[in-house]
Amino acid sequence: MRGSSHYSVMKVLLLCCVLWWVATPLYSQPRKLMVAAASDLKYALDSVITAYQSTHQNVAITATYGSSGKFFEQISNGAPFDMFFSADVAYPEKLETLGKTGQPIQKYGRGRIVIWSKRLDPNTAGMKSLVDKQIKKIAIANPEHAPYGRRAVEAMKQANIYDQVSARLVYGENISQAAQFVTTGAADAGIIALSLALSPAMKPQGKYFLIPETNHQPLEQAVVILKQAAGNPDARTFQEFVLGARAKAILTYFGFSDPK
């Protein structure tokens, strides 16, 4: 009997070990968070995610960057994102009216636009630098679905130069592609996001002129947790981090000011 009891105990222990071995990979897998983000956030949000994951290794955040308008269309049609960081608060507000959001909209910053060029220093003539004869092509984001593109057009019209330069405009699918056009030489100048001009990839390569905010409508940027993640504690925790002091310092470094 004693031997039988010992054998039974060993079987139980062996079974527990097997169950623990099978279950451990399931529990050790990081939880996933899918984020759609405006292209102007590429460097800033990547840095914020790195800072967040230094203390939240159990959450794997995948950020996809593109134009806010395109993401609005995709999310409206059921794209499986958990969170949406928009360059224009209007897109999250539209999603809210469509019943696609799961939590209140939160503004995280206000973006700025700049004229950036390798060819000349745009600080010399400001907005008028775009009419310089050296500037054959001017890159902006497509104003049809990119907020930064719309603000670029507004700024040129306010400066009374749009009619002079409209034939020189080349459109990027989003603000990152517009920035790529000027860094590669496909365009001689561009109106891009300050956050990209301050990035390690662009800062050493050219000069920029900060366009006054009075020249265009504000770029009030906002984040919203989407419907599919309404009860996801990881989404709420990450949003709280984005709105906190550590992330704010990162956003400020990349040129984002406090939202109004």
Side-chain angles (χ1 to χ4, degrees):
M1 291 292 290
R2 187 175 178 181
S4 176
S5 176
H6 178 74
Y7 178 69
S8 296
V9 170
M10 290 299 294
K11 283 207 307 183
V12 171
L13 289 173
L14 181 61
L15 179 60
C16 288
C17 288
V18 170
L19 290 173
W20 177 85
W21 181 79
V22 170
T24 296
L26 298 177
Y27 287 105
S28 64
Q29 290 294 320
R31 300 184 298 274
K32 295 180 180 180
L33 201 59
M34 303 296 293
V35 171
S39 289
D40 68 304
L41 283 169
K42 168 60 183 168
Y43 297 96
L45 189 58
D46 278 355
S47 298
V48 169
I49 290 171
T50 298
Y52 178 78
Q53 291 187 320
S54 68
T55 55
H56 296 79
Q57 295 94 340
N58 59 338
V59 181
I61 302 175
T62 300
T64 303
Y65 296 97
S67 74
S68 298
K70 290 290 187 181
F71 280 133
F72 168 75
E73 293 173 5
Q74 292 170 17
I75 295 165
S76 298
N77 291 312
F81 292 110
D82 298 307
M83 302 177 72
F84 176 35
F85 287 79
S86 176
D88 187 341
V89 68
Y91 286 120
E93 288 173 345
K94 289 177 183 178
L95 288 172
E96 189 174 50
T97 63
L98 294 173
K100 298 290 184 179
T101 60
Q103 295 288 336
I105 298 164
Q106 300 284 346
K107 293 181 181 179
Y108 60 81
R110 194 167 71 251
R112 299 292 301 273
I113 54 175
V114 303
I115 297 173
W116 191 96
S117 180
K118 284 183 176 181
R119 187 171 291 277
L120 51 73
D121 183 353
N123 287 288
T124 304
M127 293 298 298
K128 298 293 184 183
S129 62
L130 294 177
V131 302
D132 191 289
K133 292 181 180 179
Q134 298 181 71
I135 306 301
K136 308 296 184 185
K137 292 182 180 179
I138 303 164
I140 67 171
N142 191 327
E144 290 187 8
H145 48 73
Y148 275 86
R150 288 196 290 274
R151 299 302 179 262
V153 171
E154 290 170 5
M156 288 184 284
K157 287 182 176 179
Q158 198 279 338
N160 295 315
I161 62 169
Y162 181 75
D163 291 339
Q164 299 175 62
V165 301
S166 59
R168 306 184 201 176
L169 297 178
V170 292
Y171 300 105
E173 183 69 13
N174 51 59
I175 197 63
S176 287
Q177 190 174 66
Q180 184 180 15
F181 288 164
V182 280
T183 54
T184 60
D188 305 300
I191 299 182
I192 65 167
L194 172 61
S195 58
L196 298 181
L198 292 174
S199 70
M202 293 192 71
K203 194 173 182 179
Q205 294 196 53
K207 296 182 181 297
Y208 71 84
F209 165 73
L210 184 62
I211 297 174
E213 287 187 287
T214 52
N215 285 30
H216 57 83
Q217 293 295 311
L219 278 156
E220 296 287 356
Q221 308 202 184
V223 58
V224 67
I225 295 171
L226 299 168
K227 190 174 182 178
Q228 78 163 26
N232 187 333
D234 292 324
R236 289 198 302 272
T237 303
F238 181 53
Q239 180 178 266
E240 289 168 5
F241 183 84
V242 169
L243 301 174
R246 191 174 177 188
K248 181 181 177 182
I250 294 171
L251 291 168
T252 299
Y253 175 83
F254 283 99
F256 294 96
S257 52
D258 289 339
K260 292 183 179 178

